[in-house]
Amino acid sequence: LDRLVNHLKNEVNQKIFAQIVDRLNPEQIQNLHNLFDSNSSVERSPYHDLKKLPHRPSRNHLNDLIAHLTWLETLGEIAPLLQSLTRSKIKHFTAEAKALTASEMKDIKLPKRLTLLLCLIYSAQVQTRDYLVEMFLKQMKKISIRATEELQSIKEKQQITTEKLVLLLTDILQVFNGDSETDDLAKQVTPSSLEQLQTI
């Protein structure tokens, strides 16, 4: 029974691989093959970079994430090529691709090799975009918190200013209304207090 299940599963997968490869033109196939070629300057293939995403989102890693996504997008829009695959299939093929080295991938038959590679690229694009959105939301939350704190600080300062203004105006009104303490209050309304009023 296990052998039969595996046989049927293999047949289904082979059909999937063939369908996906049929959607690729020769130029796309060549570009995908180039991802397995080692870069002499860093002694590793672009395929290696596909398997290792940048660090999780933070302000310090913003430039790395943007650069990585820019490179991934040069590989083309992968989603239409994988439209016949379920999310679970893409996840499974991505995990399989991550477990293999570039040389091991080269030993796999072309249809499966390209399908695994496309799933890996697609997953990397999605995850990198998710990281950028997550980082953006975190930064916006920090900005909102700082803005709220600054607004509260301004309100507190304004409240103090308003209280000073009310007290000063009350004193002046008492002076001009001929309060019983007019003489004492009149002495308090000095040029400096009037200057303070203008400042407020």
Side-chain angles (χ1 to χ4, degrees), residues 53 67 98 104 120 135 146:
L53 286 177
K98 285 183 176 181
E104 289 171 336
L120 180 61
M135 190 188 67
R146 286 198 296 267

Side-chain angles (χ1 to χ4, degrees), residues 47-183:
Y47 174 74
H48 176 82
D49 295 328
L50 280 174
K51 298 197 297 178
K52 289 186 175 291
L53 286 177
H55 298 287
R56 289 196 65 81
S58 72
R59 183 64 185 84
N60 295 333
H61 301 140
L62 173 61
N63 292 336
D64 291 339
L65 279 171
I66 293 176
H68 192 66
L69 180 59
T70 300
W71 172 65
L72 288 171
E73 289 179 340
T74 65
L75 303 178
E77 185 61 36
I78 307 300
L81 301 172
L82 305 178
Q83 58 186 354
S84 58
L85 292 184
T86 62
R87 191 177 298 272
S88 60
K89 274 289 186 183
I90 294 175
K91 185 177 180 180
H92 173 76
F93 289 150
T94 299
E96 189 172 349
K98 285 183 176 181
L100 299 172
T101 64
S103 60
E104 289 171 336
M105 285 285 283
K106 289 180 180 180
D107 293 335
I108 299 175
K109 291 182 179 180
L110 179 64
K112 180 177 180 179
R113 182 195 320 155
L114 295 181
T115 301
L116 295 184
L117 183 56
L118 288 171
C119 288
L120 180 61
I121 295 171
Y122 172 77
S123 297
Q125 289 176 339
V126 170
Q127 191 169 356
T128 304
R129 291 190 188 108
D130 287 347
Y131 277 9
L132 280 171
V133 170
E134 183 181 338
M135 190 188 67
F136 173 76
L137 293 177
K138 284 184 177 179
Q139 292 301 317
M140 291 303 296
K141 184 177 180 180
K142 288 180 181 178
I143 291 173
S144 177
I145 291 174
R146 286 198 296 267
T148 301
E149 292 174 348
E150 182 65 21
L151 178 60
Q152 184 60 33
S153 176
I154 292 173
K155 285 181 177 179
E156 291 174 356
K157 291 177 181 178
Q158 188 64 39
Q159 180 65 27
I160 294 173
T161 300
T162 301
E163 290 175 356
K164 289 181 178 179
L165 180 59
V166 169
L167 289 174
L168 189 56
L169 289 175
T170 300
D171 290 345
I172 292 174
L173 286 174
Q174 288 176 349
V175 169
F176 287 105
N177 286 335
D179 192 273
S180 59
E181 299 177 358
T182 296
D183 293 338

